[in-house]
């Protein structure tokens, strides 16, 4: 059996499964995990549960460790840099009159790359923008176009029903609640 735990990276982000090994984890713990791009920092959403390896659709990445104060400081520093990068990128978008709306900037945990998420109704030639951003930040820059539903999930808002968008506030909570119920039922 494999111990699996759910981790969320951003407030309205999807919950991803990771292998917990022998770490003692509880919901709300901050952890450092292996991700495709290196290391990432996220929060534990549900307690570890035992899963049959045959039931897994793909190999799971591992939780490296619980976050320490140095990791928390680095995360805070990255958040400050994300805010500054957002401001600078918006200025550059206006400068180049690009038909795009900047949604969010995300720095990788090790600060090796910044990802700029945007929406646009048309195809955007942002080569000059990328050159400027690389010159300013001296790191790898990726611009990633997302859809309007993804924007709503990231930004949030209120629907015609008067409640917050389901894709922002409820969808992943329902999955986490279902997993916790399954874990309780298995006991």
């Amino acid at each position: 059996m494999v111990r699996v735990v759910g981790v969320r990276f951003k407030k309205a982000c999807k919950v991803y499964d990771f292998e917990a090994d022998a770490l003692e984890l509880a919901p709300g713990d901050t952890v450092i995990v292996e991700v495709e791009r290196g290391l990432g920092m996220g929060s534990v959403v549900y307690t570890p549960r035992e899963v049959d390896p045959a039931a897994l659709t793909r190999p799971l990445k591992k939780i490296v460790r619980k976050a320490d104060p140095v990791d928390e400081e680095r995360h805070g520093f990255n958040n400050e840099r994300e805010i500054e990068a957002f401001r600078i990128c918006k200025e550059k978008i206006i400068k180049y009159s690009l038909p795009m709306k900047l949604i969010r900037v995300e720095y990788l945990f090790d600060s090796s790359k910044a990802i700029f998420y945007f929406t646009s109704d048309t195809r955007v030639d942002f080569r000059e923008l990328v050159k400027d951003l690389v010159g300013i930040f001296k790191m790898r820059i990726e611009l990633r176009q997302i859809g309007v539903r993804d924007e709503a999930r990231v930004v949030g808002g209120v629907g015609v029903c008067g409640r917050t968008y389901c894709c922002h506030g409820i969808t992943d909570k329902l999955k986490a609640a279902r997993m916790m119920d399954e874990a309780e039922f298995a006991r």
Side-chain angles (χ1 to χ4, degrees), residues 65-142:
R65 64 181 186 277
K66 282 188 177 181
D68 59 22
V70 174
D71 296 326
E72 297 281 351
E73 185 177 326
R74 173 180 230 154
H75 185 67
F77 179 69
N78 282 346
N79 285 341
E80 291 172 12
R81 291 175 69 190
E82 288 172 357
I83 293 167
E84 180 67 13
F86 188 91
R87 184 188 62 75
I88 291 170
C89 187
K90 279 191 83 152
E91 290 172 2
K92 297 295 181 183
I93 289 170
I94 293 168
K95 174 184 171 185
Y96 290 114
S97 301
L98 296 173
M100 59 193 287
K101 178 181 173 186
L102 187 63
I103 304 301
R104 184 178 86 175
V105 178
E106 177 184 344
Y107 267 72
L108 298 187
F109 183 72
D110 63 359
S111 300
S112 62
K113 180 164 89 170
I115 304 170
F116 294 79
Y117 296 92
F118 70 95
T119 60
S120 179
D121 293 334
T122 62
R123 184 165 167 75
V124 180
D125 181 10
F126 48 72
R127 290 177 288 195
E128 292 300 317
L129 174 64
V130 172
K131 286 179 191 174
D132 271 4
L133 295 175
V134 168
I136 292 168
F137 298 113
K138 309 283 191 256
M139 64 175 22
R140 290 181 17 209
I141 301 292
E142 179 180 328

Side-chain angles (χ1 to χ4, degrees), residues 164-178:
T164 59
Y165 291 139
C166 295
C167 57
H168 177 73
I170 297 174
T171 317
D172 287 331
K173 290 178 186 169
L174 291 174
K175 179 180 178 189
R178 188 177 67 244

Side-chain angles (χ1 to χ4, degrees), residues 7 10 28 34 40 42-43 54 60 63 70 86 97 101 137 157 163 186:
V7 175
K10 297 281 184 183
E34 293 176 5
S43 296
L60 295 178
I63 292 181
V70 174
F86 188 91
S97 301
K101 178 181 173 186
F137 298 113
R163 295 183 178 179

Side-chain angles (χ1 to χ4, degrees), residues 1-6 16-23 25 46-63 179 183 186:
M1 297 298 268
V2 178
R3 289 183 74 230
V4 176
V5 68
Y16 297 92
D17 288 337
F18 287 89
E19 187 174 336
D21 286 334
L23 289 172
L25 299 170
Y46 54 83
T47 54
R49 66 188 201 290
E50 298 290 329
V51 175
D52 182 16
L56 299 173
T57 57
R58 61 181 167 206
L60 295 178
K61 301 273 187 183
K62 295 183 185 275
I63 292 181
M179 297 229 176

